Each structure stands twice: as structure tokens, then as C-alpha cells.
Amino acid sequence: MANRFGLVLRRPVLSAVTVLAVAGGAFAHEGATGIVKERMDAMERIATAMKRVGAMMNGKTDYEAGEVVRAAETIHRHGGENLTRLFPKDSLQRPTRARPDIWRDWQKFKSLADQVALYSDVLKDAAENGPVGSRQGMQSGVQPDKQSGGGQMMGQEPTDDPEQLRQMPARASFMRLARTCKACHTAFRTRK
Ligand code: HEC
């Protein structure tokens, strides 16, 4: 009796889970398969990590250096060759938004993928500096006008120098990393 009862109860739960999983997948990737799905999944993972750090930078969630380190590590794992290997020549199967220019300007594409690896590593180191101006940043001799890490917001060109960024508030390397995402999408991803 109990067994039969259990089965009856379990079935609707299972199908609800299945429906959710399928709906979620379809919503995100609309039927992508193979390498295209693999890279969309990878991009989603780094986007989730970026959002987590972004929420801390905006003060929407409490800043936790350990969380920033973990997010930076996730992003790092998807940078460099782990990113470029997801783009074998002419892999333009639907519903991809990748542009053929990727393989016409492979050096630029590769260099942006390398920047993901570089600046996520920098962000990991900068995590301990806190989101905005901190004692550590002061002691390292970084000029006060760089303390906000938002040079951009103060009408300054933000720095690209990894060593300088490692000493600066985490916000600076986060912004630099976000700029890398944007640069690659602008050059190599079709608009919706
Ligand atoms: C070297 C180039 C490059 C870099 C750097 C890059 N992306 Fe992408 N990204 C792409 C391309 C190309 C696509 C489209 C892939 C496709 O549709 O096949 C994409 C797609 C995406 C998508 C959509 C995935 C989906 O489900 O369709 C998200 C989200 C994303 N990227 C987030 C990021 C974030 C966040 C970063 C920075 C940490 C980043 N990307 C860095 C090239 C890049």
C-alpha cells in the first residue's frame, strides 16, 4: 500500500522537475547541441560568476573576498585555451550567435580569451583589497585618484596594467574584466 501510494506521489514531482529543466534549457539556448551548447553553457557559467561579483560591487550583496576569489577562479577556468577550444573552425551551427569573423581574426579573438584568464587571475589577487579604496591599496602607493577603481567614472582611462590592478580595489579588475567580455561580444557575436 505504502509503496503504491509513494509511486503516485512521486510521479508528479518528477515531471515537474523535468518540465522545469527542459523549459530552463530551451529558454537559455533554444535547442543548441554539441560544441555550440557547450560554449553557451560555459559562457552562462562565467556570466553567473560575474553577476555574483557585480552584485557585491553594487552593494546589493555584502562584499566577501572569499566569494570573489571563488567566482574569479570559475571565470579563470573558462578563459584562455579553455575558451578558444570551444570555437573550432567554422562551428556556426544554429542557434549560434558566433560570427565568422572569429576565424578571420583569430589572433584578436585568442587575445581576448587570454585576457579573460589574465584579468580573472588579477581579480582573484585584488579580492583581498576590498571593493573600493582600502588601506592595502593606500599602502601600496597607488594614487588616491585611482582608489575608487572607477577611473572610468571619473573621466579617466582605466589602466590595463595587471600589476597595478592587482594592488587596486577589486572593482578596478572587475571592470577591466567586464570590458573584455564586452569587447569580444561587440566584435565577434551577432546582435539579437
Ligand atoms: C574571446 C571572446 C569572448 C569573450 C572574452 C567572452 N565571450 Fe561571451 N560569448 C562569445 C561568443 C562568440 C558568444 C556567442 C556563442 C554562440 O552563440 O555560439 C558568447 C556568448 C555569451 C553569452 C550567451 C550564452 C548563451 O547562452 O547563449 C553570455 C551570457 C556570455 N557570452 C557572457 C560572457 C561574459 C560574462 C564574459 C566575460 C567574463 C564573456 N562572455 C567573455 C565570446 C566571448
Side-chain angles (χ1 to χ4, degrees):
M1 271 303 258
N3 214 354
R4 241 169 67 203
F5 201 47
L7 267 179
V8 169
L9 277 178
R10 219 175 295 138
R11 207 173 283 152
V13 174
L14 270 181
S15 48
V17 169
T18 311
V19 167
L20 273 180
V22 170
F27 180 69
H29 302 143
E30 285 158 25
T33 58
I35 197 80
V36 171
K37 178 167 187 344
E38 216 185 299
R39 71 194 178 210
M40 284 176 167
D41 287 346
M43 288 288 170
E44 292 287 344
R45 254 172 257 136
I46 60 178
T48 304
M50 284 295 279
K51 277 181 203 150
R52 215 179 306 138
V53 179
M56 286 189 256
M57 296 297 166
N58 294 336
K60 279 191 191 139
T61 56
D62 289 343
Y63 186 85
E64 285 200 45
E67 278 292 309
V68 176
V69 168
R70 269 189 295 281
E73 282 171 349
T74 299
I75 297 163
H76 188 75
R77 271 200 299 279
H78 291 293
E81 289 206 344
N82 284 337
L83 197 160
T84 53
R85 74 174 174 80
L86 298 175
F87 290 86
K89 194 153 180 12
D90 300 330
S91 53
L92 290 168
Q93 298 88 337
R94 276 179 211 189
T96 192
R97 285 174 67 196
R99 285 171 51 177
D101 305 72
I102 290 171
W103 301 282
R104 282 189 211 121
D105 202 351
W106 184 252
Q107 278 315 312
K108 181 177 171 189
F109 187 77
K110 188 180 171 307
S111 137
L112 287 162
D114 287 344
Q115 283 181 28
V116 171
L118 172 66
Y119 291 117
S120 56
D121 185 62
V122 169
L123 175 62
K124 188 181 136 186
D125 279 356
E128 285 298 334
N129 300 346
V132 290
S134 67
R135 264 185 60 187
Q136 207 173 332
M138 298 282 196
Q139 282 167 350
S140 71
V142 176
Q143 288 126 42
D145 61 345
K146 298 262 173 76
Q147 282 302 308
S148 75
Q152 230 167 4
M153 296 195 306
M154 304 169 91
Q156 275 182 297
E157 271 302 300
T159 180
D160 286 336
D161 177 28
E163 296 325 310
Q164 205 179 350
L165 284 167
R166 279 183 217 275
Q167 311 298 325
M168 289 166 66
R171 188 189 178 86
S173 38
F174 173 73
M175 305 259 283
R176 185 59 193 80
L177 188 54
R179 204 142 60 79
T180 302
C181 312
K182 197 168 169 221
C184 196
H185 294 159
T186 303
F188 296 115
R189 186 168 68 154
T190 62
R191 289 168 189 225
K192 266 212 166 116

